[in-house]
Amino acid sequence: MATKKNIYVEGLNEIPAPMRKVEIVERKGIGHPDSVSDALAEEVSKALCRMYKKEFGHVLHHNTDETQIAAGSAKPKFGGGTIIDPVYILLVGRATTHAGEGKNLKDLPCKPTALKAAHDYLDKTFPNLDVDSEVILDAKLGMGSDDLTGVYKASGHLANDTSFGVGYAPYSITDKLVLKTEEYINGPMKKKLPETGQDVKVMASRVDDKITMTIACAMVDKHIPDAAHYQSAIEEMYDLVTDNALKIIGKEKVKFKLDINTGDNYKRGVYYLTCTGLSQEMGDDGSVGRGNRCNGLITPYRPMSMEATSGKNPITHIGKIYNVMSKLIADDVAKKVTNEAEIRVRLLSQIGKPVSQPLNASVQIVLPDATSNPKLSKWTGEAEAIAADWLDNVDKVSDMIVEGKVRTF
């Protein structure tokens, strides 16, 4: 049944992903070049939002979702290597660079705002990176096209793209393991193992009740005097990550296997060694939108949007708002309506139409016997109400994004 907001709630007779034989989940950690691109795009957007609010009291049109990272060159070695060529980072996007007319025309400091936001994030997040000497930061932020800025300036929140957002809930045990493992490695574990860098990729493969996790972690050469210390650090990381994983698994009936830096070959002297803990120092480029979705994961066994969430403006850009909102709706339905099913949400817009009035708001309640489940009618009404409430509160979603209360990668 469609409501005035075009909300369609249906039961879907299908085996939820966590109940299937095979599941694959990936997360690119905060130091992966694609994640760095995502983070910088989002930090620039948030900084512009703050600047616009300070100058005009509200957010002006911008999209900064095209950040590019071109890898540098380095010579890591045990005990500490050398950066040969700095990483080049280009902050690309559209922004409102001036506002007003005639004597009231006001030029806005978009590029300085962007460069400072990017510099501050890199300096705060990556302790082994000397931002001033090992990174070249550049910004190309031009005025947006008349049609899109015109949509933005129109009264109310009008979508500036015909696009869709996707979300699902709840997380499976595989999802939780991948997300929380990366957060652990790049969080509490750093105090015990400073040898580990921030460029971490976590991949999990579940077959039936067996989860095999593969971790690639850039190691920091200045903290590792020799090959023996490297091997010892990997072994300690193995124990710490395994202990943390078992805490996450708890009473779940799954078996856990861990592999770390499988590309290493100790006999041939091959080690994942870096100067900065980031592979972008040599060999790996990065782009916005090529990594994690806004739930923090890459999930080929779940519905996903190809849209880059980071860097898009949080007021009218559907590629951001609907991806974030889809996850929020799915989370609420899974939490408040039923934890028995997999919840899938897809929101579709039309350019120039109100963000609160999607062309199609689909909520699917996925169970093997969903359509014959006696609770489906109750679930349908409750899920519809949750979706409608979030759509009625677009401002709340925008505020959460600007304030950094939701993840975008």
Side-chain angles (χ1 to χ4, degrees):
M1 180 182 73
T3 68
K4 62 180 181 179
K5 289 187 178 295
N6 297 319
I7 300 172
Y8 303 86
V9 182
E10 63 177 327
L12 190 63
N13 293 334
E14 191 175 304
I15 300 174
M19 297 168 60
R20 296 178 193 167
K21 183 178 184 67
V22 175
E23 186 181 14
I24 297 172
V25 179
E26 176 184 2
R27 174 164 171 78
K28 294 179 178 179
I30 58 171
H32 188 285
D34 292 332
S35 295
V36 176
S37 296
D38 285 332
L40 294 180
E42 189 63 11
E43 289 300 312
V44 169
S45 174
K46 289 191 292 187
L48 288 175
C49 287
R50 292 191 294 270
M51 184 268 288
Y52 290 142
K53 281 189 170 185
K54 179 181 178 182
E55 297 290 339
F56 294 98
H58 61 275
V59 177
L60 300 182
H61 177 264
H62 69 278
N63 291 310
T64 58
D65 56 335
E66 297 292 342
T67 294
Q68 299 290 322
I69 295 178
S73 177
K75 285 194 173 181
K77 67 177 182 179
F78 292 122
T82 306
I83 297 296
I84 306 300
D85 191 20
V87 175
Y88 178 75
I89 299 178
L90 180 61
L91 309 172
V92 184
R94 300 294 95 191
T96 302
T97 58
H98 56 269
E101 297 178 356
K103 293 181 179 179
N104 296 320
L105 180 65
K106 188 171 187 177
D107 292 315
L108 298 167
C110 292
K111 289 184 181 179
T113 298
L115 290 167
K116 184 178 187 306
H119 185 286
D120 288 352
Y121 177 82
L122 292 170
D123 194 48
K124 174 184 68 176
T125 310
F126 305 119
N128 298 299
L129 178 69
D130 186 330
V131 182
D132 294 321
S133 66
E134 296 173 350
V135 174
I136 298 172
L137 273 173
D138 194 3
K140 299 291 183 183
L141 301 178
M143 196 74 175
S145 63
D146 290 341
D147 58 337
L148 291 181
T149 54
V151 167
Y152 189 95
K153 291 176 183 175
S155 60
H157 294 272
L158 302 184
N160 76 343
D161 196 5
T162 299
S163 187
F164 61 86
V166 177
Y168 73 86
Y171 285 132
S172 69
I173 184 59
T174 317
D175 292 332
K176 292 176 185 176
L177 269 172
V178 170
L179 186 62
K180 291 181 180 296
T181 293
E182 189 274 334
E183 291 176 341
Y184 172 69
I185 294 170
N186 276 324
M189 200 189 79
K190 284 290 182 282
K191 294 179 180 179
K192 298 179 180 179
L193 268 182
E195 294 94 331
T196 59
Q198 279 74 29
D199 193 342
V200 178
K201 178 187 279 189
V202 182
M203 184 78 74
S205 165
R206 179 186 58 78
V207 179
D208 294 322
D209 64 347
K210 298 179 179 65
I211 296 177
T212 301
M213 178 180 287
T214 306
I215 294 174
C217 180
M219 305 298 282
V220 183
D221 59 4
K222 67 182 179 182
H223 295 305
I224 305 175
D226 52 39
H229 189 108
Y230 181 99
Q231 295 180 42
S232 175
I234 294 296
E235 290 170 2
E236 186 175 354
M237 181 181 178
Y238 180 95
D239 292 339
L240 290 170
V241 170
T242 299
D243 288 344
N244 188 65
L246 294 177
K247 293 176 184 176
I248 298 167
I249 291 169
K251 296 181 179 179
E252 294 275 351
K253 295 180 179 179
V254 294
K255 301 171 184 176
F256 180 74
K257 181 179 183 294
L258 176 64
D259 292 307
I260 299 176
N261 287 3
T262 55
D264 288 348
N265 188 316
Y266 297 159
K267 291 182 179 179
R268 292 177 49 228
V270 177
Y271 305 91
Y272 189 2
L273 207 59
T274 66
C275 299
T276 62
L278 306 169
S279 64
Q280 67 187 28
E281 71 181 33
M282 184 172 65
D284 280 356
D285 303 318
S287 299
V288 176
R290 289 182 54 191
N292 311 317
R293 303 301 88 190
C294 75
N295 66 348
L297 300 170
I298 301 168
T299 51
Y301 282 77
R302 308 275 198 160
M304 293 194 299
S305 166
M306 292 178 66
E307 283 277 5
T309 303
S310 298
K312 289 180 167 65
N313 87 72
I315 310 299
T316 65
H317 208 304
I318 294 306
K320 168 169 267 176
I321 299 168
Y322 273 8
N323 272 314
V324 172
M325 189 185 290
S326 292
K327 182 181 183 300
L328 292 170
I329 292 172
D331 285 342
D332 268 5
V333 174
K335 182 179 179 180
K336 299 175 182 178
V337 178
T338 173
N339 60 5
E340 299 176 28
E342 175 183 346
I343 308 301
R344 300 174 187 167
V345 178
R346 300 171 179 86
L347 303 176
L348 171 65
S349 69
Q350 282 184 314
I351 190 169
K353 301 295 184 181
V355 175
S356 61
Q357 298 282 340
L359 179 64
N360 186 326
S362 167
V363 181
Q364 293 178 323
I365 300 172
V366 182
L367 279 172
D369 60 347
T371 57
S372 60
N373 194 304
K375 299 178 183 177
L376 181 61
S377 177
K378 175 177 178 290
W379 290 343
T380 297
E382 293 174 343
E384 182 183 300
I386 288 171
D389 184 61
W390 276 110
L391 287 164
D392 280 336
N393 287 279
V394 176
D395 287 346
K396 181 179 178 181
V397 177
S398 296
D399 289 343
M400 291 170 71
I401 295 170
V402 173
E403 293 166 9
K405 292 181 179 179
V406 293
R407 69 165 72 240
T408 61
F409 69 97

